[in-house]
Amino acid sequence: PEQDNSNFYNDMIKPILKSAVYIITIRYNNLLNDTIKTFGEDKQFWPEPVKNTLDNDRQFIEQFNNYIDQL
């Protein structure tokens, strides 16, 4: 709305949120692929900070997608 910024249109905000999820997903996939290339597919050899980042990003993507679905 022009005068009232307290409301927003779902059909206008969803594409913006979906594009943010897309960018985060690309970042997640790149980190996952680089981790597999560097440390192998066995997760026990992955450094803890990398595992934590991948887990956090995956959870964030899932939560963000759930939020978009609820809109």
Side-chain angles (χ1 to χ4, degrees), residues 53-68:
T53 300
L54 285 168
D55 287 341
N56 290 339
D57 285 356
R58 183 184 44 78
Q59 290 174 2
F60 180 69
I61 292 167
E62 290 173 5
Q63 290 173 349
F64 212 165
N65 279 323
N66 288 337
Y67 175 72
I68 292 169

Side-chain angles (χ1 to χ4, degrees), residues 19-36:
S19 65
V21 169
Y22 178 75
I23 292 167
I24 295 166
T25 301
I26 289 173
R27 178 181 172 266
Y28 170 81
N29 288 334
N30 287 339
L31 179 59
L32 179 61
N33 290 334
D34 289 346
T35 302
I36 290 172

